[in-house]
Amino acid sequence: MGASSATRVMAGHLLVECLVEQGVELAFGVPGESFLAVLDGFHAHGDRIRFIVNRQEGGAAFMAEAHGKLCNRPGVCFVTRGPGATNASIGVHNAFQDSTPMVLFVGDVGSDFRDREAFQEVDYASFFGPSTKGFAKRVERIDDADRIPEYVARAFATAMNGRPGPVVLVLPEDMLRTMTSARPLKRVEPVAAWSDPGALRTLRELLLKSQRPLVIAGGGGWTPQAAQALQRFAENWKLPVANAFRFQDTFDNHHPLYAGDVGIAINPKLAERVRQSDLILAIGPRLGEMTTGGYTLLEAPKAKQTLVHMHASAEELNRVYQADLAINVGMASAARSLEVLSAPTELPWEAWTAAAHADYLANLAPQPLAGLPAEAPRGAVDMVEVVGLLQKHLPPDAAITNGAGNFASWVHRYFRYHGLAKGHKTQLAPTSGAMGYGVPAGIAANIATGRVAFTIAGDGDFLMNGQELATASQHGGKSIVVLLNNGMFGTIRMHQEREYPNKVSGTALQNPDFCALARAYGYAAERVTETAQFEAALLRALAADTGTLIEIPLDPEVITTRGTLSAITKAAEAQAAGR
């Protein structure tokens, strides 16, 4: 530390050097005058780290969150104070609920103006949490440039350790301009919590007593090696494995032990299997509302099934569900300890496991949607066939991304995600249900990995962050976006018809020419109105030098993978008439 003035650097430059030391190669954000010194640092170190300029802070935060999912180290986002930070809060909330490591840096008012409600001033500690009810795991302000290495290293450790999640670091503008002789601290690695050997013995005893066990895998912190170990554990014990909501790549969907995903629009047979199970082994998920069917598949606070809950956060265990056996362990350690758990040669649930996989395969078979013409029982563009063509032509390591809306149900139900065990994370989707996630996530995935990125979006969802196509064009990224346009906020309209049939309010949309808009951003674009047109369009998109948007006008009647909007309305009317 006691170096000569010749080794002193501006704090903004030191911050960038700390990021480089942590292995950060990409940072996302929208520039602001509050952190010009950091932007100057990015310029000085441009050979080692890229600053991806976004068009809105929400898109930037989503990109950073997606990057965190892909690399299992904190995604990094920079925004300015006030409006910039509040715009970015959607990505922070997403990272919290998805258990994704992320660090948000917020340029702030100068220290001499603080606490006067200066221009764009916000109390970030109050705004961002931290708590299990808040946005961030930790919120800190760096007032002393000499302590930048300490704060950055702690932020990365906090974001990765235990249940992964977001950390917010606030950077006063005047602090970033000061000179310091501090140097970066070494790269931080996550701490590995191991399973208690006694708990593993108890787990084995519970398995030996079981007749109908079921694994539910998901949550943050999974690596390809951990997923491979989980697969070996399942194979040793011949266990059916389901994936938690929007963690559908935790276990390979092509594996004969796969039972399906436990989330929104769950296969009714899988839902019943969860209820009938006598032992639920939850490895990684926090067992939130979507994975538990509104806390009904597993009743809170004490499930009827014997529950073994393995989670990286001690604070999460026994917070919502009182587990019969709670094990505080990270996913890498959990799977490695489970794979060496010896299994007997004979197991009583082999037929149960085979039936679970058969139920999954049966759910891949589509059904006609009542009310549509006999010659087109699933609409003019058959989304089941579209997903089948995606399965056929997308490479196995393609990143599949989506935001929130009924449009996502087509890939959730029919696309068979390749699991992490094959070496790559292939699903990027918000368990927080955030609209607008898919477009920036796909662009980030392509920029970060070079892999094919495919995004499915709805018309309402796309316009939340469609501006990030400009970011892709500027920074050499590309993605394939299939946009389903039904002229409405489809999910809300579906619920509206269920609760208030034939009273449309606030859900209709007047849309732009999406193809013209995409072309204006630098993407290729075309409109597909018949199923037969899609395959050629997809192949053109895969071969293109730029990103491509494929718009599919979708009949508003095609509202779910199982039924039509009219059928929902009629059911609601019948229920109301019977009251």
Side-chain angles (χ1 to χ4, degrees), residues 10 26 52 72 93 107-108 149 175 208 211 238 325-326 362 390 404 429 467 472 488:
M10 191 170 15
L26 289 174
I52 304 298
N72 263 327
H93 182 256
D108 196 20
M175 182 278 295
L208 292 175
Q211 298 293 312
K238 299 180 177 61
L325 178 62
L390 296 174
Q467 77 285 339
M488 62 185 180

Side-chain angles (χ1 to χ4, degrees), residues 452-495:
V452 170
F454 171 82
T455 298
I456 188 165
D459 46 345
D461 175 81
F462 177 83
L463 283 178
M464 295 282 183
N465 271 312
Q467 77 285 339
E468 299 305 334
L469 297 189
T471 301
S473 296
Q474 179 175 347
H475 294 280
K478 64 176 186 176
S479 59
I480 299 171
V481 180
V482 166
L483 190 158
L484 306 185
N485 181 1
N486 61 5
M488 62 185 180
F489 288 121
T491 303
I492 310 307
R493 175 68 185 280
M494 175 186 71
H495 290 298

